[in-house]
Amino acid sequence: MNPITRAVFQIQEIAVLSWRVLRGLTRPPRYWVEVVRQMDVLGFGSLAIILLTGFFTGGVLALNTGSTLQSFGVQSVAGQLVATSLIRELGPVLTCLMLAGRVGSGIAAELGSMLVSEQIDAMRALGTDPIKKLVAPRVIALVVMAPILTVICDMIGTLGGMLSSIAFLHQPTSVYLASAQKAVSLNEIISGLIKPTVFGYLIAIIGCYKGLSTTGGTVGVGRATTQSVVVSSILIIAVDFVLSKLILSTLLAP
């Protein structure tokens, strides 16, 4: 099978998997307890790396742009620049790339291990649908938690930028916060939530698909894990371009 045919075949299978997840949500049984557990494991379990990523990204952003802003005498807009960059682009993309590395790989490894050890076959034999029990809770959990983690990343990144501005640009806190406040509008917030929602879905569905299509035993599990991270990361960057264009021409049009 050539690469193009294989890619088309995989897109078709992912679309079928997505449809089965949506269809499963309309019919009982529903595993809400498992959804909450996955939100805790996948979402809150990633909080530490999201906090570190957001804080240092905001700090570096203020540090790198500070000297340029000073040369033009507009260092007072550092807060707006940091907040806008985080809300529109860096917050959603960096948060979801972190999730793809930590969570997407974990989903593929867990489901792949269950597949090669025949636990999923045993689940089917007992009358449990693995799509409802395993896939749907992970997809829902990431679709909900990715925007929440992105907002936290934006907030802690703005804080990191403020500390960096105070320490290295000697900018008063009130000036930075007043500038950052200008970047927060309803359309900016909505646009900042659309991206992580889509990215969260992509991470979850790719991780589940790679896990459930694992072949080749334990070696195949490692291969599926790597492919999950690579495919999710590339899709996040590619889809980000498309969404940015749509958002700029609609929600954020001047």
Side-chain angles (χ1 to χ4, degrees):
M1 188 181 296
N2 64 58
I4 295 177
T5 305
R6 186 165 61 248
V8 172
F9 179 71
Q10 290 180 349
I11 291 171
Q12 182 185 18
E13 287 202 322
I14 291 171
V16 172
L17 181 61
S18 299
W19 168 248
R20 292 181 65 185
V21 170
L22 289 174
R23 190 181 61 179
L25 293 176
T26 63
R27 302 173 183 176
R30 300 181 181 89
Y31 300 92
W32 295 115
V33 174
E34 180 65 12
V35 171
V36 174
R37 194 182 77 82
Q38 291 299 328
M39 289 171 67
D40 178 47
V41 173
L42 305 180
F44 289 106
S46 306
L47 190 58
I49 60 172
I50 298 303
L51 290 175
L52 290 172
T53 301
F55 182 81
F56 287 111
T57 299
V60 168
L61 196 58
L63 187 64
N64 283 333
T65 57
S67 58
T68 304
L69 295 175
Q70 277 182 329
S71 66
F72 288 98
V74 290
Q75 62 270 28
S76 60
V77 301
Q80 185 177 358
L81 189 148
V82 171
T84 301
S85 301
L86 286 168
I87 293 173
R88 287 189 181 184
E89 185 65 31
L90 295 177
V93 172
L94 291 178
T95 297
C96 291
L97 285 177
M98 292 297 110
L99 290 177
R102 180 187 180 275
V103 174
S105 60
I107 292 174
E110 184 181 9
L111 297 188
S113 299
M114 293 179 70
L115 186 70
V116 299
S117 61
E118 300 182 349
Q119 293 181 55
I120 292 179
D121 291 336
M123 191 178 291
R124 288 196 181 96
L126 293 173
T128 302
D129 185 352
I131 304 300
K132 287 185 177 181
K133 176 71 174 178
L134 300 175
V135 178
R138 286 164 174 78
V139 172
I140 296 172
L142 267 187
V143 167
V144 172
M145 292 308 299
I148 294 175
L149 290 172
T150 298
V151 172
I152 294 172
C153 180
D154 294 342
M155 293 173 67
I156 201 71
T158 305
L159 175 64
M162 183 183 74
L163 296 178
S164 184
S165 296
I166 294 171
F168 301 108
L169 303 180
H170 308 293
Q171 189 176 67
T173 305
S174 58
V175 173
Y176 179 90
L177 291 177
S179 175
Q181 192 175 7
K182 294 179 181 177
V184 181
S185 66
L186 180 60
N187 283 349
E188 291 280 4
I189 294 172
I190 292 173
S191 67
L193 294 177
I194 291 174
K195 286 184 178 181
T197 303
V198 176
F199 296 160
Y201 165 77
L202 290 174
I203 295 167
I205 202 71
I206 295 296
C208 291
Y209 170 72
K210 289 296 180 183
L212 293 176
S213 60
T214 299
T215 56
T218 54
V219 176
V221 174
R223 187 166 54 243
T225 303
T226 304
Q227 289 176 349
S228 171
V229 176
V230 172
V231 174
S232 298
S233 300
I234 292 173
L235 280 177
I236 286 171
I237 294 170
V239 174
D240 176 58
F241 177 81
V242 178
L243 289 179
S244 295
K245 177 61 180 172
L246 291 174
I247 289 170
L248 285 172
S249 60
T250 53
L251 283 175
L252 303 179

